[in-house]
Amino acid sequence: MTQRQIEILLVEDNPDDVELTLHALRKENLANNIHVARDGEEALEFLFCNGVHAERSMERPPKLILLDLKLPKVDGMEVLRRIKADERTKTIPVVILTSSKEERDLVSGYGLGANSYIQKPVDFDQFRDTVKSVGLYWLVINQAPVAESRTQPAAKGAGAK
Amino acid sequence: MGEQFGDSPVETALQRWVTAGIGLAVLLTAFMSALTWRSINQAEGDADWVDHTHQVQTALQATLRNAVDIETGARGFAATGEGSFLGQYWEGQSAVALNLATLRHLTADNAVQQKRLELLKSQLNARVEMARRTVHDRQQSGVVPAKSDFLEGKSLMDAVRLTATEMLGEDDRLLNQRVKEAQAARSRTRIITAGGALVAVGLLALAGLSIRREIKHAARLRRQLTAVNADLVQRSTESRRAEEEARRSSRYARSLLEASLDALVTISREGKITDVNEAATRVAGVSRERLIGSDFSDYFTDPEGARRGYEQVFAQGAVQDYPLAIRSTSGEVRDVLYNATVFENEAGGVEGVFAAARDVTERKRAEQELRASENKYRTLAESLPQMVFVKDRASVNVSCNQSFARSLGIRPEEYVGKTDYDFFPAGLAEKYRSDDQRVMESGRTEEIEEEYVRDGQKSSVQTVKTPLRDAAGNVTGILGIFWDITERKRAQEQLRQSSLYTRSLIEASLDPLVTISRDGKITDVNEATEKVTGVSRPQLIGSDFSSYFTEPESARRGYEQVFEQGAVQDYPLAIRSAVGQVTDVLYNASVFRSESGEVEGVFAAARDITERKRAEEEVHRLNEELEQRVIQRTAQLEAANKELEAFTYSVSHDLRAPLRHISGFSKILTEEYGSSLAPDAQHHLQRIQEGTRRMGLLVDDLLNLGRIGRHEVRLQVAGLNSIVNEVIEELKPECIGRQVEWEIANLPFAECDPALMKQVFQNLLSNAVKFTRPRSPAVIEVGQKGGEGTPVVFVRDNGVGFNVKYADKLFGVFQRLHRAEDFEGTGVGLATVQRIIQKHGGRIWAEAELDKGATFYFTLGGSEANELKTKAAMAGEQT
């Protein structure tokens, strides 16, 4: 199967939340290249191209990861930690998208290197707006880190980061 | 003795007899001794003879045996030819010769025996020869002797034996003869000795008796002689002594006269001095020679009186204590008392007057002095305030002083001659009298405390009674002095009572009390001390104070500190009783001083704090328990908190998500399919969304409330005004299109958590804004009501207020006092505010009037009392 460039990795276990998020993203035309991982393990497998996603290439990471915290199998924080610990993945922007506004989650998240922390609003309109802003910002406004030299650590020196 | 015997013929004869007797006795004794000597010699001889006879016997027997041996040996050899028999034969042969020689020697003195011996010898030879022949024959030719030989030999042997026997018999006969003779001699000796002894003894006895009698007789004579001698000697001595006595007597008499200090004179009928003594010459100042023959009366100041004196003696025979005054030549006058008698000569006629003058000058002077002194004492006695009296031996009044007389209400003269019975009640008088008698009998001065009654008034007096004596030392009366001691007694009694009272207080005290001397010894204790130490009072007193404590050193330092500083308070010690029981006490002690201000000792009281200590320990224990429990509870609370935290956390996730979904999908419904839905359906969808929105707010508020509860209040001093202004700014959007007047007073700086305080004001002010919506203008006041104590901050509005009937519901969670369609709200806000205020240690309350407005008051910490004060002050203001 031809691998298309996945732009957003949505890591979310709740199907309703998945649907609502996708609905919001679709409205803004940001949902074309989304992969949904339903748990932490799948998220990691996807990102590190192993397990069920062994055929994937690490050369084409997603442009944005929307990460829920409460995940089965591997917890959100753990996923975040793994992402930020690995050279190949640590530059991918991670937006924690969660219901919790707990201070400790904020601290841990930022501590582990999350790029952004957003509490999912209860109100759908607000939710939609939030998602839109997030998508717009990270996919359009924000300059993504350079992609090519990522898989060749030897050639790091050449590219500007 | 010999001399005495020599004088009398009877005695001479007796002496001769005695001498003869004794001589005879001596001779007899000598004779008997000689006899005894001879007897002994004879006995010796007899013994020798017996011995001799034995020797003869022995030798004879031996010879016989030898002969037998020879015979036997020869026969044996002859019969058998055995050489062993020859030994016997040879032995016999050699021996027999020896024995025969011995016999010869032994019987040398007896011719008959000698003859016999020769016979024996020849007989023996015959036998021996025969034996020899036999042996020789046998040896040479081995011939055995015939029977006839044997018979011959036997008859030879028999002849030998016979001769031997005769010899023996001879000897025996001789011996017997000798023995008999000896026995006879001995008997004779015995008789003579006995008789002689008797005679000798008898003679001696007689002699002895005679001698004894003579000695006695002589002794008697001698005694008689001695007695006569003695008698003579005595008589002569007596006569000598009598002379001597007489001489001495007269010398003695004279020297007595001379030695007398009194002037002695003898006066003749004519009144002339006939003799004087030394003293008389001295007192007159005239020599003896000049005195004798002079006129007696010349030497007196009153010669007439003197003359009358001695004439009185001549007339009456004696005169006593006749007073005169002698004037000596030097002019000195001496008062004398004359005692004089007549003295008679041997015929009975009066020879003269013997007069003795007693010098009474001194006595007179003494009497004068005594009188003077008596006067002095009299004056003293009279002037004394004490009462003085004198009674005689029978307790009859002799005299008294003025004071006593005055007390009795009489004149001193009226006292004399009466008795106590005249002045005092019978019982008292009886006592006084018996006291007097006792003192006078014992002769000792007594001090008596007694009753005294005058004019019906009773009082106490101290009386000193002392016996009065005359010159001879006999008790003649009694002197008494007494004074009133009623006051003193009362004072003493009071002192005693108070001392008793003090003592019983001390004894009643439950605290052990002690007094300690400077050297640390106990000087007094009360009963409580005895009890706590288990030691009796006598043992405690004098013992070391510090020895009754578990730490004697500490006890010692304790009392030393008191001596240094004057007092000590709450000094802890532990008393150990005799049985080992320990009591914790606190000592309070101080020094006590004597009247002069010197420190006498330390007075110490022990407060038993065993109970208190126990209580303290109990409290401590309880506290520790409490601490433990608190720690436990805190841990429990911690656990509960953690649980709550976890719950909140999960709620924040779990409640939100479904809400979001409901809201989301219903929104989507509305957007996508709303146009094709009936208006009812649309309305329902609207309500659904409203619901979710509301629930979202509720969940947020609840989570906030929970968070507040767990939140640690971080106090810092903050200006409330700045917080209020911030909140007002934030509320501006709400107030658009409305007329809201903010009246903000100067608010205090308070110690609070600014974030939480902001929430408080957010809540209260937004409420105020909300509930003043129907008002124009809406007036919202924020200020403080001070007064005393803690400041009270208030937020007042002129909104719709609420019914005070429901005031208690105001701060309840989810409690609303208004309908949701009138005024929105979750009903959690005020609960949250109250929580925050509580966390600050303050209180919040509200007042309102329906349709007029509401005021919310709160404090941040401070005492309840102060709050109440402020509340009261405000209540007063509001009317």
Side-chain angles (χ1 to χ4, degrees):
Chain A
M1 188 130 15
T2 19
Q3 285 202 346
R4 62 185 199 290
Q5 168 67 28
I6 299 296
E7 299 204 318
I8 301 175
L9 170 65
L10 171 65
V11 189
E12 171 65 64
D13 68 317
N14 190 301
D16 293 329
D17 272 327
V18 168
E19 200 175 322
L20 289 173
T21 311
L22 287 178
H23 185 98
L25 284 170
R26 221 172 278 127
K27 270 280 159 77
E28 312 303 322
N29 294 314
L30 294 168
N32 294 332
N33 300 308
I34 298 176
H35 179 83
V36 179
R38 299 299 302 285
D39 59 55
E41 187 187 61
E42 207 206 315
L44 289 171
E45 281 177 357
F46 180 86
L47 283 168
F48 291 105
C49 307
N50 51 26
V52 295
H53 296 287
E55 338 77 65
R56 260 179 50 78
S57 155
M58 292 231 37
E59 291 172 19
R60 315 253 287 241
K63 290 190 181 169
L64 173 68
I65 302 175
L66 294 175
L67 179 62
D68 186 21
L69 285 182
K70 199 173 58 63
L71 298 167
K73 295 191 190 168
V74 181
D75 182 67
M77 283 297 178
E78 182 58 26
V79 172
L80 174 62
R81 202 185 60 73
R82 297 269 278 274
I83 294 169
K84 292 299 172 182
D86 196 308
E87 282 284 331
R88 301 169 290 175
T89 54
K90 75 179 188 187
T91 54
I92 307 172
V94 177
V95 173
I96 293 177
L97 195 62
T98 182
S99 318
S100 163
K101 209 169 73 171
E102 286 298 302
E103 198 178 308
R104 64 157 175 229
D105 292 330
L106 271 159
V107 169
S108 311
Y110 277 116
L112 286 169
N115 298 76
S116 170
Y117 189 106
I118 294 171
Q119 190 193 16
K120 284 188 238 177
V122 169
D123 183 69
F124 189 61
D125 286 332
Q126 263 188 303
F127 180 68
R128 232 199 329 236
D129 288 340
T130 308
V131 166
K132 182 168 122 188
S133 307
V134 167
L136 263 178
Y137 178 79
W138 287 105
L139 294 176
V140 178
I141 300 169
N142 190 45
Q143 280 281 68
V146 176
E148 288 80 48
S149 58
R150 218 178 288 141
T151 52
Q152 288 145 31
K156 245 197 245 176
K161 269 225 175 104
Chain B
M1 187 163 118
E3 288 168 17
Q4 285 178 317
F5 276 135
D7 285 347
S8 152
V10 174
E11 276 150 4
T12 318
L14 207 52
Q15 181 187 0
R16 224 180 282 141
W17 274 113
V18 167
T19 314
I22 290 176
L24 200 57
V26 169
L27 278 171
L28 272 172
T29 309
F31 177 62
M32 279 183 313
S33 303
L35 269 179
T36 311
W37 183 261
R38 213 173 69 117
S39 181
I40 288 170
N41 281 344
Q42 263 190 340
E44 211 176 52
D46 289 340
D48 283 344
W49 190 254
V50 169
D51 198 44
H52 176 270
T53 307
H54 276 143
Q55 281 177 338
V56 165
Q57 274 183 349
T58 309
L60 277 169
Q61 275 164 355
T63 309
L64 273 174
R65 256 200 318 280
N66 294 143
V68 168
D69 279 344
I70 294 168
E71 191 183 57
T72 315
R75 275 204 195 133
F77 182 69
T80 63
E82 288 292 325
S84 49
F85 286 105
L86 284 175
Q88 213 172 352
Y89 171 74
W90 292 122
E91 269 174 30
Q93 273 210 319
S94 55
V96 81
L98 210 60
N99 285 319
L100 284 172
T102 311
L103 273 166
R104 195 197 337 231
H105 173 68
L106 285 170
T107 56
D109 57 342
N110 194 331
V112 175
Q113 287 288 73
Q114 283 279 323
K115 243 198 264 182
R116 276 214 190 89
L117 186 62
E118 286 304 318
L119 182 59
L120 185 68
K121 227 196 306 204
S122 67
Q123 283 169 341
L124 261 170
N125 280 338
R127 185 71 187 83
V128 166
E129 183 55 36
M130 192 184 163
R132 196 193 60 78
R133 244 194 349 257
T134 311
V135 165
H136 177 79
D137 286 347
R138 176 75 193 184
Q139 267 178 339
Q140 293 293 71
S141 46
V143 171
V144 176
K147 185 168 152 190
S148 58
D149 291 325
F150 281 112
L151 283 169
E152 198 184 321
K154 183 175 178 316
S155 69
L156 281 174
M157 198 61 202
D158 286 341
V160 166
R161 270 201 202 94
L162 189 67
T163 313
T165 309
E166 280 176 7
M167 278 184 76
L168 275 170
E170 177 70 29
D171 230 54
D172 267 339
R173 193 179 54 75
L174 275 170
L175 182 66
N176 284 340
Q177 198 179 348
R178 281 252 152 92
V179 166
K180 271 201 196 94
E181 279 174 5
Q183 270 181 339
R186 269 204 298 280
S187 300
R188 271 199 310 275
T189 310
R190 236 182 260 126
I191 290 167
I192 294 173
T193 310
L198 272 167
V199 170
V201 166
L203 287 170
L204 279 170
L206 275 169
L209 279 167
S210 310
I211 292 168
R212 217 186 82 174
R213 200 175 43 155
E214 279 314 303
I215 291 173
K216 263 192 166 155
H217 187 59
R220 204 177 335 118
L221 287 175
R222 196 174 350 103
R223 271 202 302 275
Q224 280 175 352
L225 193 60
T226 315
V228 167
N229 249 1
D231 194 43
L232 278 171
V233 167
Q234 196 182 348
R235 288 235 187 92
S236 82
T237 315
E238 269 178 12
S239 66
R240 265 203 304 260
R241 202 182 300 142
E243 272 177 35
E244 186 59 39
E245 257 319 298
R247 263 202 296 273
R248 204 180 319 137
S249 236
S250 80
R251 261 208 311 273
Y252 182 63
R254 188 73 214 179
S255 45
L256 273 182
L257 289 170
E258 288 305 318
S260 171
L261 293 173
D262 295 337
L264 306 169
V265 295
T266 46
I267 312 166
S268 69
R269 262 220 160 267
E270 297 78 40
K272 299 271 194 255
I273 294 175
T274 50
D275 196 3
V276 291
N277 71 345
E278 178 74 30
T281 62
R282 256 204 312 258
V283 87
V286 179
S287 72
R288 185 204 185 92
E289 296 73 38
R290 289 259 306 278
L291 279 170
I292 294 181
S294 61
D295 254 327
F296 173 72
S297 44
D298 281 345
Y299 302 94
F300 296 89
T301 56
D302 179 15
E304 258 314 304
R307 195 173 308 136
R308 255 182 292 147
Y310 68 70
E311 272 170 12
Q312 193 177 329
V313 181
F314 280 120
Q316 296 176 0
V319 97
Q320 276 167 357
D321 290 334
Y322 194 91
L324 287 171
I326 303 174
R327 188 189 290 120
S328 78
T329 46
S330 63
E332 198 188 339
V333 172
R334 297 200 79 80
D335 292 301
V336 294
L337 287 176
Y338 262 98
N339 287 277
T341 52
V342 296
F343 62 90
E344 296 165 355
N345 55 24
E346 271 127 25
V350 171
E351 235 186 70
V353 161
F354 175 76
R358 171 64 37 85
D359 189 328
V360 294
T361 327
E362 289 306 321
R363 195 173 83 180
K364 266 202 162 175
R365 197 176 305 146
E367 275 176 3
Q368 275 168 350
E369 275 180 13
L370 183 66
R371 252 193 303 277
S373 145
E374 263 188 28
N375 273 336
K376 226 192 305 181
Y377 285 114
R378 176 121 230 127
T379 319
L380 177 69
E382 288 307 317
S383 60
L384 277 179
Q386 283 83 3
M387 285 162 272
V388 185
F389 60 83
V390 177
K391 297 187 211 161
D392 69 11
R393 191 73 181 75
S395 285
V396 174
N397 300 345
V398 171
S399 70
C400 73
N401 72 345
Q402 279 288 351
S403 309
F404 194 11
R406 222 175 302 133
S407 144
L408 291 173
I410 55 170
R411 279 173 292 125
E413 306 83 73
E414 292 174 281
Y415 184 77
V416 183
K418 301 222 174 47
T419 66
D420 290 328
Y421 287 93
D422 294 309
F423 299 107
F424 303 105
L428 215 51
E430 185 62 46
K431 180 200 183 286
Y432 292 158
R433 169 187 282 261
S434 82
D435 287 341
D436 293 342
Q437 294 306 314
R438 191 181 59 244
V439 168
M440 288 192 275
E441 251 150 64
S442 72
R444 279 197 293 272
T445 305
E446 278 186 28
E447 278 194 44
I448 308 164
E449 249 185 57
E450 55 191 353
E451 255 187 59
Y452 179 73
V453 173
R454 198 59 220 153
D455 293 331
Q457 289 252 15
K458 270 201 206 159
S459 54
S460 294
V461 297
Q462 176 103 0
T463 312
V464 181
K465 285 186 174 166
T466 183
L468 291 172
R469 295 175 198 277
D470 62 9
N474 302 317
V475 175
T476 54
I478 184 162
L479 168 73
I481 174 168
F482 67 94
W483 56 95
D484 189 300
I485 54 164
T486 327
E487 272 312 306
R488 191 181 87 184
K489 273 200 109 175
R490 194 177 308 141
Q492 269 179 355
E493 182 59 27
Q494 267 180 358
L495 185 65
R496 197 183 70 85
Q497 289 288 359
S498 93
S499 152
L500 214 69
Y501 177 66
T502 315
R503 190 77 211 180
S504 31
L505 277 180
I506 290 172
E507 288 302 322
S509 167
L510 292 174
D511 294 336
L513 308 171
V514 294
T515 48
I516 310 165
S517 68
R518 262 217 160 271
D519 53 356
K521 302 264 192 279
I522 296 177
T523 49
D524 197 5
V525 296
N526 70 344
E527 206 180 306
T529 309
E530 287 181 287
K531 225 180 281 178
V532 81
T533 57
V535 176
S536 70
R537 175 194 243 107
Q539 282 178 295
L540 284 166
I541 294 181
S543 61
D544 250 324
F545 172 73
S546 45
S547 60
Y548 297 97
F549 296 91
T550 56
E551 291 172 35
E553 256 316 300
S554 180
R556 195 173 314 158
R557 261 180 282 125
Y559 68 72
E560 272 167 13
Q561 197 177 329
V562 182
F563 278 117
E564 277 165 43
Q565 300 174 357
V568 99
Q569 278 170 355
D570 292 338
Y571 191 94
L573 285 171
I575 300 174
R576 187 188 282 127
S577 81
V579 294
Q581 190 178 8
V582 174
T583 314
D584 290 302
V585 293
L586 287 178
Y587 262 98
N588 285 277
S590 62
V591 293
F592 62 91
R593 299 172 192 275
S594 64
E595 271 176 14
S596 53
E598 270 193 44
V599 171
E600 272 193 21
V602 160
F603 176 76
R607 174 58 40 87
D608 187 335
I609 53 164
T610 353
E611 278 308 312
R612 195 176 88 178
K613 263 208 164 175
R614 200 173 305 143
E616 280 175 5
E617 274 161 29
E618 186 71 19
V619 164
H620 188 74
R621 192 184 62 81
L622 285 172
N623 272 347
E624 279 194 10
E625 259 187 52
L626 200 63
E627 292 255 341
Q628 280 299 104
R629 258 189 254 146
V630 164
I631 289 168
Q632 272 181 0
R633 287 287 155 76
T634 315
Q636 282 173 357
L637 280 171
E638 276 293 319
N641 266 350
K642 282 246 154 41
E643 268 186 56
L644 193 61
E645 235 174 274
F647 172 74
T648 310
Y649 189 65
S650 73
V651 163
S652 75
H653 263 278
D654 299 347
L655 277 183
R656 276 223 155 89
L659 269 180
R660 191 172 42 256
H661 303 153
I662 297 170
S663 163
F665 289 115
S666 66
K667 263 280 167 64
I668 293 173
L669 251 182
T670 314
E671 282 172 11
E672 313 259 308
Y673 308 99
S675 47
S676 57
L677 280 174
D680 252 2
Q682 284 186 24
H683 173 70
H684 293 320
L685 280 172
Q686 189 85 353
R687 293 292 286 276
I688 291 170
Q689 276 162 34
E690 267 298 309
T692 57
R693 196 180 61 80
R694 287 249 324 284
M695 189 170 162
L697 287 175
L698 206 56
V699 166
D700 280 344
D701 278 350
L702 270 177
L703 281 176
N704 199 33
L705 180 61
R707 209 176 292 128
I708 301 298
R710 289 179 294 121
H711 195 270
E712 282 290 318
V713 173
R714 277 181 226 110
L715 293 174
Q716 64 188 79
V717 178
L720 295 179
N721 278 100
S722 55
I723 299 174
V724 168
N725 292 334
E726 249 184 70
V727 170
I728 292 172
E729 269 303 310
E730 286 167 15
L731 286 172
K732 274 262 165 41
E734 295 251 346
C735 305
I736 293 174
R738 286 179 55 188
Q739 200 181 353
V740 179
E741 284 175 20
W742 295 96
E743 289 176 23
I744 314 299
N746 261 335
L747 297 173
F749 277 75
E751 216 180 352
C752 61
D753 185 324
L756 293 176
M757 278 323 293
K758 189 164 173 195
Q759 278 202 26
V760 166
F761 280 113
Q762 275 171 337
N763 200 287
L764 290 176
L765 292 176
S766 70
N767 272 357
V769 166
K770 182 162 62 177
F771 288 102
T772 52
R773 234 184 270 135
R775 300 284 185 262
S776 187
V779 179
I780 302 175
E781 243 186 285
V782 181
Q784 67 162 318
K785 270 217 152 52
E788 323 140 32
T790 355
V792 178
V793 178
F794 65 87
V795 174
R796 186 177 291 132
D797 66 64
N798 64 344
V800 295
F802 55 85
N803 194 336
V804 249
K805 202 160 65 167
Y806 305 112
D808 54 332
K809 289 193 172 176
L810 206 52
F811 297 98
V813 179
F814 298 136
Q815 297 291 345
R816 300 205 69 236
L817 300 185
H818 300 86
R819 282 186 275 181
E821 61 266 30
D822 296 337
F823 296 100
E824 70 286 8
T826 54
V828 181
L830 281 179
T832 309
V833 166
Q834 188 186 49
R835 217 47 217 289
I836 295 172
I837 297 296
Q838 276 174 358
K839 278 234 140 194
H840 282 82
R843 278 183 63 246
I844 181 166
W845 67 98
E847 282 165 14
E849 216 185 308
L850 263 179
D851 219 34
K852 289 273 173 64
T855 316
F856 284 81
Y857 301 93
F858 68 88
T859 62
L860 294 167
S863 69
E864 210 174 293
N866 286 333
E867 269 179 41
L868 286 170
K869 260 194 249 176
T870 316
K871 241 185 162 175
M874 291 190 324
E877 279 177 24
Q878 271 193 324
T879 41

